[in-house]
Amino acid sequence: MARLASEERRELLERFRRWLREQRLPVTRQRDIVAETVFGSEEHLSVDAIARRLRERGMRVGIATIYRTLELLVGAGLVREHEFGEGFRRFEPAGRESDHEHLICVRCGRVVEFANERLERMLPVIADEHAFQHRRHRVEIFGTCRDCLQRELGGLTA
Ligand SMILES: [Zn+2]
Ligand SMILES: [Zn+2]
Protein backbone atom coordinates (compact mmCIF):
# COMPACT_ATOMS: atom_id res chain seq x y z
CA MET A 1 0.00 0.00 0.00
CA ALA A 2 1.11 3.52 -0.67
CA ARG A 3 2.17 5.69 2.20
CA LEU A 4 -0.22 8.55 2.95
CA ALA A 5 0.84 12.06 2.00
CA SER A 6 2.08 14.11 4.93
CA GLU A 7 -0.95 16.43 4.93
CA GLU A 8 -3.28 13.42 5.03
CA ARG A 9 -1.31 12.04 7.98
CA ARG A 10 -1.51 15.37 9.75
CA GLU A 11 -5.25 15.55 9.08
CA LEU A 12 -5.80 12.04 10.50
CA LEU A 13 -3.76 12.87 13.59
CA GLU A 14 -5.79 16.04 14.07
CA ARG A 15 -9.01 14.05 13.79
CA PHE A 16 -7.71 11.56 16.36
CA ARG A 17 -6.87 14.34 18.82
CA ARG A 18 -10.26 15.93 18.27
CA TRP A 19 -11.99 12.58 18.82
CA LEU A 20 -10.02 11.96 22.04
CA ARG A 21 -11.05 15.36 23.37
CA GLU A 22 -14.68 14.68 22.48
CA GLN A 23 -14.47 11.41 24.42
CA ARG A 24 -12.81 13.29 27.28
CA LEU A 25 -9.72 11.14 26.94
CA PRO A 26 -6.25 12.57 27.36
CA VAL A 27 -4.30 13.52 24.25
CA THR A 28 -0.82 12.25 25.05
CA ARG A 29 2.52 12.31 23.28
CA GLN A 30 2.59 8.49 23.35
CA ARG A 31 -0.82 8.20 21.71
CA ASP A 32 0.32 10.66 19.05
CA ILE A 33 3.44 8.60 18.38
CA VAL A 34 1.51 5.34 17.97
CA ALA A 35 -1.07 7.02 15.73
CA GLU A 36 1.66 8.63 13.61
CA THR A 37 3.37 5.27 13.18
CA VAL A 38 0.22 3.66 11.78
CA PHE A 39 -0.72 6.66 9.65
CA GLY A 40 2.80 6.87 8.26
CA SER A 41 3.22 3.22 7.43
CA GLU A 42 3.27 1.66 3.98
CA GLU A 43 2.50 -1.74 5.51
CA HIS A 44 -0.25 -3.44 7.48
CA LEU A 45 1.48 -3.34 10.83
CA SER A 46 1.12 -5.76 13.72
CA VAL A 47 1.53 -4.61 17.33
CA ASP A 48 4.99 -6.21 17.34
CA ALA A 49 5.96 -4.38 14.18
CA ILE A 50 4.77 -1.08 15.66
CA ALA A 51 6.75 -1.75 18.85
CA ARG A 52 9.83 -2.55 16.76
CA ARG A 53 9.53 0.66 14.75
CA LEU A 54 9.19 2.73 17.89
CA ARG A 55 12.20 1.04 19.44
CA GLU A 56 14.24 1.67 16.29
CA ARG A 57 13.37 5.35 16.54
CA GLY A 58 14.43 5.32 20.18
CA MET A 59 10.93 5.85 21.55
CA ARG A 60 9.69 4.19 24.66
CA VAL A 61 6.05 3.24 24.42
CA GLY A 62 4.76 0.24 26.37
CA ILE A 63 2.93 -2.60 24.63
CA ALA A 64 -0.21 -1.91 26.69
CA THR A 65 -0.22 1.69 25.45
CA ILE A 66 0.16 0.52 21.86
CA TYR A 67 -2.78 -1.87 22.24
CA ARG A 68 -4.93 0.72 23.94
CA THR A 69 -4.13 3.40 21.37
CA LEU A 70 -4.94 1.05 18.49
CA GLU A 71 -8.24 0.22 20.14
CA LEU A 72 -9.01 3.92 20.34
CA LEU A 73 -7.95 4.53 16.74
CA VAL A 74 -10.21 1.71 15.55
CA GLY A 75 -13.02 3.06 17.74
CA ALA A 76 -12.56 6.49 16.21
CA GLY A 77 -12.89 4.92 12.75
CA LEU A 78 -9.43 6.14 11.76
CA VAL A 79 -7.69 2.77 11.65
CA ARG A 80 -8.84 -0.44 10.05
CA GLU A 81 -8.15 -3.67 11.87
CA HIS A 82 -7.44 -7.00 10.16
CA GLU A 83 -7.19 -10.56 11.30
CA PHE A 84 -5.52 -12.39 8.44
CA GLY A 85 -5.61 -15.78 10.15
CA GLU A 86 -2.08 -15.41 11.52
CA GLY A 87 -3.13 -15.36 15.15
CA PHE A 88 -2.49 -11.65 15.53
CA ARG A 89 -4.03 -8.47 14.22
CA ARG A 90 -2.71 -5.97 11.75
CA PHE A 91 -3.60 -2.32 11.31
CA GLU A 92 -3.73 0.27 8.57
CA PRO A 93 -5.10 3.80 8.22
CA ALA A 94 -8.83 3.77 7.39
CA GLY A 95 -10.81 5.83 4.96
CA ARG A 96 -8.17 6.09 2.33
CA GLU A 97 -9.14 6.60 -1.32
CA SER A 98 -11.66 3.93 -2.27
CA ASP A 99 -12.37 0.51 -0.90
CA HIS A 100 -9.60 -2.00 -1.23
CA GLU A 101 -9.33 -5.68 -0.45
CA HIS A 102 -6.45 -7.95 0.40
CA LEU A 103 -4.45 -10.89 -0.88
CA ILE A 104 -2.53 -12.62 1.88
CA CYS A 105 0.41 -14.95 1.33
CA VAL A 106 0.10 -17.91 3.68
CA ARG A 107 3.85 -18.60 3.38
CA CYS A 108 5.52 -15.27 4.13
CA GLY A 109 2.60 -13.16 5.35
CA ARG A 110 2.90 -10.58 2.61
CA VAL A 111 -0.25 -8.54 2.20
CA VAL A 112 -1.11 -7.13 -1.21
CA GLU A 113 -3.96 -4.73 -1.80
CA PHE A 114 -6.26 -4.66 -4.75
CA ALA A 115 -9.32 -2.70 -5.79
CA ASN A 116 -11.86 -4.00 -8.21
CA GLU A 117 -14.89 -1.96 -9.09
CA ARG A 118 -16.81 -4.91 -10.48
CA LEU A 119 -16.30 -6.87 -7.28
CA GLU A 120 -17.38 -3.92 -5.15
CA ARG A 121 -20.55 -3.60 -7.23
CA MET A 122 -21.24 -7.35 -7.12
CA LEU A 123 -21.06 -7.85 -3.36
CA PRO A 124 -24.13 -5.71 -2.52
CA VAL A 125 -25.97 -7.51 -5.35
CA ILE A 126 -25.08 -10.89 -3.85
CA ALA A 127 -26.20 -9.69 -0.44
CA ASP A 128 -29.45 -8.53 -2.00
CA GLU A 129 -30.02 -11.96 -3.54
CA HIS A 130 -29.95 -13.34 -0.01
CA ALA A 131 -32.31 -10.65 1.23
CA PHE A 132 -29.46 -8.98 3.07
CA GLN A 133 -29.03 -5.26 3.17
CA HIS A 134 -25.36 -4.74 2.45
CA ARG A 135 -23.50 -2.58 4.92
CA ARG A 136 -19.85 -3.36 4.54
CA HIS A 137 -17.65 -6.23 3.55
CA ARG A 138 -14.13 -7.54 3.50
CA VAL A 139 -12.65 -9.78 0.87
CA GLU A 140 -9.50 -11.70 1.73
CA ILE A 141 -7.81 -14.02 -0.72
CA PHE A 142 -5.35 -16.45 0.85
CA GLY A 143 -2.68 -18.00 -1.31
CA THR A 144 0.98 -17.98 -2.24
CA CYS A 145 2.69 -14.82 -3.45
CA ARG A 146 4.85 -14.65 -6.57
CA ASP A 147 8.14 -14.68 -4.64
CA CYS A 148 7.18 -17.69 -2.53
CA LEU A 149 5.91 -19.48 -5.63
CA GLN A 150 9.17 -18.80 -7.44
CA ARG A 151 11.18 -19.98 -4.46
CA GLU A 152 9.19 -23.19 -4.42
CA LEU A 153 9.54 -23.74 -8.15
CA GLY A 154 13.25 -22.92 -7.92
CA GLY A 155 13.58 -25.50 -5.18
CA LEU A 156 11.94 -28.06 -7.39
CA THR A 157 14.19 -27.52 -10.41
CA ALA A 158 17.44 -27.12 -8.48
ZN1 LIG B 1 4.97 -15.10 0.15
ZN1 LIG C 1 -4.98 -2.64 3.15
Side-chain angles (χ1 to χ4, degrees):
M1 64 195 237
R3 184 197 271 253
L4 293 179
S6 63
E7 62 269 27
E8 281 178 278
R9 303 204 305 258
R10 251 199 317 275
E11 158 73 14
L12 281 174
L13 186 62
E14 229 9 86
R15 277 166 60 192
F16 182 44
R17 289 178 176 153
R18 213 155 44 216
W19 184 86
L20 286 172
R21 280 185 219 109
E22 281 163 17
Q23 309 292 312
R24 306 195 181 285
L25 292 165
V27 176
T28 66
R29 178 83 193 111
Q30 296 207 325
R31 283 181 178 165
D32 276 3
I33 290 169
V34 174
E36 278 172 336
T37 305
V38 180
F39 296 152
S41 173
E42 66 298 340
E43 283 173 52
H44 301 76
L45 295 176
S46 64
V47 170
D48 281 353
I50 293 168
R52 208 174 318 123
R53 287 196 180 192
L54 294 176
R55 259 198 318 275
E56 281 165 10
R57 290 165 60 199
M59 300 187 185
R60 291 180 165 276
V61 181
I63 285 285
T65 304
I66 297 176
Y67 271 107
R68 175 73 179 133
T69 306
L70 288 167
E71 214 173 275
L72 294 169
L73 285 163
V74 172
L78 301 173
V79 163
R80 201 172 157 197
E81 177 181 26
H82 299 286
E83 165 57 74
F84 289 138
E86 301 165 298
F88 56 84
R89 290 174 293 166
R90 298 214 210 186
F91 303 86
E92 70 174 318
R96 299 181 306 141
E97 68 257 16
S98 59
D99 257 349
H100 72 268
E101 311 296 344
H102 299 94
L103 291 142
I104 302 112
C105 177
V106 297
R107 298 283 151 82
C108 69
R110 174 184 298 177
V111 178
V112 177
E113 299 183 335
F114 72 93
N116 185 302
E117 250 181 74
R118 229 162 5 136
L119 174 72
E120 302 302 328
R121 272 201 308 273
M122 272 315 289
L123 291 167
V125 172
I126 293 167
D128 199 50
E129 286 169 2
H130 294 270
F132 257 69
Q133 192 179 41
H134 174 273
R135 291 216 178 181
R136 56 195 169 80
H137 61 259
R138 290 177 176 216
V139 176
E140 289 164 6
I141 300 177
F142 294 87
T144 314
C145 75
R146 193 172 20 200
D147 288 354
C148 288
L149 214 51
Q150 259 163 15
R151 243 193 314 277
E152 271 170 41
L153 292 174
L156 283 178
T157 52

